[in-house]
Amino acid sequence: RMYLNNPIPNLRIQDIDFADSDGFGAPNTNADIVLGATGFTEAIITGNKLKDQWAIVLPENATSGIVKDNTGYATKANGTVTISSGSTSATVTHGLAHAPTAATVKLWLTSAKNGSTELYASAIGASTFQVNIGTSPSSDVVVGWEASTPLGA
């Protein structure tokens, strides 16, 4: 396991197998990789094998860098959801390691509009988001979706 509390600009953690690692652990977590301080600008964490989706802990204000393609740590997901006739929303369980943002959720119709208008995401959270349609459709509408974590886009 790796715990780094001092900022390292342009840090790269790539192609390491943490999946069978017991290591020394990080304070107050079972995560494989913990970046405990701010200042990890442009960190690149890719291609690693991790124990589970909670395996990387980043500073809350991490806004730059790349964290993707790590086995066991979902940063991108996609699928479809059905908004039933007479309804204007449906809930998606995204399965990502961190919440996506409005900018990283993409939606599109995969079926006929059936009288529906305006498609958008709301209530974006750690495990789900809401897919909304402006007008209740006359019959079921299928919506395609893709979501990614802010640093995994």
Side-chain angles (χ1 to χ4, degrees):
R1 295 183 178 154
M2 185 178 297
Y3 177 73
L4 302 168
N5 201 34
N6 295 316
I8 301 172
N10 303 311
L11 172 71
R12 290 179 183 259
I13 303 172
Q14 294 177 290
D15 303 319
I16 299 173
D17 185 351
F18 291 95
D20 294 323
S21 166
D22 287 328
F24 61 86
N28 303 315
T29 180
N30 290 322
D32 293 324
I33 299 170
V34 177
L35 304 185
T38 59
F40 285 98
T41 58
E42 302 303 321
I44 297 174
I45 303 173
T46 62
N48 301 290
K49 292 181 183 175
L50 305 167
K51 288 186 179 189
D52 60 45
Q53 70 172 3
W54 310 113
I56 299 175
V57 177
L58 300 170
E60 285 186 28
N61 62 348
T63 58
S64 64
I66 299 170
V67 180
K68 66 180 184 178
D69 301 328
N70 294 290
T71 303
Y73 187 83
T75 55
K76 189 174 273 192
N78 61 63
T80 60
V81 65
T82 300
I83 299 177
S84 300
S85 171
S87 182
T88 56
S89 66
T91 300
V92 170
T93 301
H94 53 69
L96 299 173
H98 294 280
T101 64
T104 63
V105 174
K106 298 175 185 168
L107 304 172
W108 61 91
L109 289 172
T110 64
S111 66
K113 290 173 65 172
N114 299 326
S116 58
T117 61
E118 188 183 11
L119 196 58
Y120 62 97
S122 66
I124 299 170
S127 59
T128 63
F129 62 86
Q130 197 81 23
V131 175
N132 305 282
I133 203 153
T135 304
S136 177
S138 58
S139 60
D140 292 358
V141 171
V142 179
V143 177
W145 63 270
E146 179 179 280
S148 61
T149 58
L151 299 182

